[in-house]
Amino acid sequence: MRNARRTLIAALAVIGTLASATACGGGSNSLHSSGASGKTYTFWDPYPQFDASSAWAKLVTKCGTEAGVKIKRTGMDTSDLGNKALLAAQQGNAPDVMLVDNPVVSTLVEAGILNQTAALGLKTGSIQKNIIDAGTTVDGASYGVPIGANTLALYYNKKVLSAAHVDPASIKDWASLTAALKKVKAAGKKGITFSAINTEEGSFQFLPWFWGAGADLTRLNSSKAVAALSLWKQWVDAGYAPKDVLQNTQTTSWQEFATGQYAFSENGTWQLGNADKAGFGYGVISIPARNGGSAPVPTGGEFVTVPVQKDTGRYEVSKKIVTCLTSDANLLPTDTTLAYVGPTAVVQAEQVKRNPKLKPWVAAVASARGRTSGGLGTKYPTISQSMWTAVQDALSGGKSPRAALDAAQKAAAKGDG
């Protein structure tokens, strides 16, 4: 029991670290008693911004109806959901079905509160490998079914680039992007916005540059990692990126781009609706790798999971609910419902057919990596915190990129020990 308690405490700390992981957010709702009994099944998700009138809530209700039960849905923010799921499981009161951010899956599995999809008879064979891998643990088993994925790319302002005589098609690597930023600044406009805040959002945004340099999360202070951090520092020092990237979330970074003064914004699929409302022409290109090609980007998105229950007889209905939520027909509108690219090739192709603006995002998702994949699992939050701390130290001028990443590697190794 002592070991179980220690595991729970450690898991709670991990969930807290991952609180601001990706796009979805909002204030938390009060948690209702799960009390799953009879024909009522409980469902938790990280979407407090969606009320009962939303397309998402209506889909959840419909899937319950088709399974012959009523669903009691509770939306709360990511950190609240993870923490309360761990506590509810310890008390034997976990929800029947739960939607969780993909980096949280391995933490919940380590705490012993999620069922394997194979054990439930859920099918995941048609799901894009890199997407399902984000919810696959070290043992190679999957513990949830993704409802879609989002990730990062570069939005650009067509008017700003045109005035600076920059062809977005010419941006193929770091050198050409930096040259474009220099031209934009010389033309009297601003360069690029991104989030370097000291939370998971900052790590999420740094990863394409880190991975695009060829760096590996198991060695934060490699020469390739130093090159990535030096690039960001170069941009801030030269005025190509604003100093407030240190405080910018992905939302406030987008708000800067929406002023029409910036050439580029590193941001996600979830900003497409806002981009259409911005009032200026825009385009989207992949984040370039250091020496050309598209940089690997982190996989964002949630997995539908089935927590362990004392009454295993409930799993059959839970399986029906998950199958409904993740069917091709119901995944298809996720680009408008949740701003997600579907997790299967069939859904992605139909999404692009309906909305050609999703084409670069499908390509970006295809090159995305799970943050906890590659055997990192629950080690990732410690690595991520060390990494975002290094970014803060370097961009603020407190340490050189090399010194900041040396300290990050020591901290990550200590945390892993």
Side-chain angles (χ1 to χ4, degrees):
M1 188 65 183
R2 183 178 299 171
N3 288 337
R5 180 173 175 78
R6 187 179 299 126
T7 299
L8 176 63
I9 292 171
L12 286 167
V14 168
I15 296 292
T17 302
L18 291 168
S20 58
T22 47
C24 299
S28 63
N29 289 353
S30 60
L31 178 63
H32 302 295
S33 171
S34 59
S37 60
K39 293 291 185 178
T40 298
Y41 274 60
T42 49
F43 179 87
W44 294 358
D45 66 44
Y47 307 145
Q49 68 271 35
F50 294 140
D51 62 20
S53 67
S54 67
W56 169 249
K58 289 178 180 177
L59 173 60
V60 172
T61 298
K62 183 185 87 165
C63 286
T65 300
E66 291 181 3
V69 298
K70 178 180 179 181
I71 291 184
K72 184 177 182 181
R73 171 185 171 257
T74 302
M76 62 196 87
D77 67 31
T78 297
S79 57
D80 276 354
L81 189 153
N83 289 338
K84 288 169 181 172
L86 289 164
L87 292 173
Q90 186 187 42
Q91 297 163 358
N93 196 29
D96 291 287
V97 181
M98 184 166 60
L99 193 65
V100 298
D101 194 18
N102 69 71
V104 176
V105 172
S106 59
T107 300
L108 298 180
V109 170
E110 187 173 88
I113 71 170
L114 294 184
N115 283 290
Q116 288 187 16
T117 53
L120 295 168
L122 290 164
K123 307 299 183 183
T124 58
S126 64
I127 297 172
Q128 197 166 292
K129 186 178 185 303
N130 66 323
I131 297 178
I132 192 68
D133 280 353
T136 301
T137 57
V138 179
D139 63 4
S142 65
Y143 287 82
V145 184
I147 57 170
N150 56 32
T151 194
L152 298 166
L154 292 180
Y155 288 87
Y156 63 86
N157 184 316
K158 292 182 177 181
K159 185 176 180 180
V160 170
L161 289 190
S162 178
H165 304 291
V166 172
D167 179 358
S170 69
I171 298 168
K172 299 182 181 297
D173 52 24
W174 290 2
S176 54
L177 177 56
T178 300
L181 296 176
K182 184 176 181 180
K183 287 182 179 180
V184 168
K185 185 181 179 186
K189 294 294 184 179
K190 299 177 181 179
I192 185 169
T193 74
F194 53 86
S195 170
I197 196 169
N198 57 339
T199 68
E200 177 61 20
E201 266 182 278
S203 291
F204 190 72
Q205 291 241 317
F206 183 59
L207 278 172
W209 313 96
F210 182 88
W211 283 334
D216 188 281
L217 286 170
T218 61
R219 192 181 166 206
L220 294 178
N221 60 343
S222 68
S223 59
K224 294 174 180 178
V226 172
L229 188 48
S230 297
L231 177 72
W232 269 19
K233 181 166 174 56
Q234 174 192 353
W235 289 349
V236 172
D237 290 350
Y240 301 157
K243 294 185 185 301
D244 62 12
V245 295
L246 287 165
Q247 294 83 42
N248 268 346
T249 64
Q250 293 177 117
T251 298
T252 57
S253 171
W254 178 264
Q255 289 168 349
E256 288 181 331
F257 179 67
T259 64
Q261 297 299 305
Y262 283 86
F264 299 95
S265 172
E266 179 185 355
N267 229 296
T269 329
W270 55 91
Q271 298 293 4
L272 272 174
N274 289 328
D276 289 334
K277 299 173 185 175
F280 54 80
Y282 73 92
V284 178
I285 59 173
S286 297
I287 296 173
R290 183 182 187 182
N291 296 316
S294 298
V297 285
T299 308
E302 284 83 31
F303 278 63
V304 191
T305 65
V306 178
V308 172
Q309 303 289 339
K310 290 181 179 178
D311 179 3
T312 59
R314 300 183 71 81
Y315 293 153
E316 190 58 34
V317 170
S318 295
K319 175 186 172 181
K320 291 179 181 179
I321 294 169
V322 175
T323 300
C324 174
L325 289 171
T326 57
S327 68
D328 283 355
N330 288 329
L331 286 172
L332 184 55
T334 54
D335 59 310
T336 51
T337 306
L338 301 171
Y340 280 159
V341 169
T344 68
V346 170
V347 172
Q348 290 173 1
E350 186 61 29
Q351 284 179 318
V352 170
K353 182 178 178 181
R354 295 184 180 191
N355 181 7
K357 290 181 180 179
L358 287 172
K359 186 174 181 178
W361 293 105
V362 169
V365 165
S367 66
R369 293 182 185 175
R371 284 162 280 172
T372 60
S373 57
L376 289 181
T378 55
K379 297 177 183 177
Y380 173 74
T382 298
I383 294 170
S384 177
Q385 183 168 359
S386 299
M387 183 165 61
W388 82 54
T389 300
V391 170
Q392 288 268 311
D393 287 344
L395 299 192
S396 66
K399 294 178 181 176
S400 69
R402 165 65 69 184
L405 288 167
D406 281 343
Q409 181 60 28
K410 289 180 181 177
K414 183 178 180 181
D416 185 35

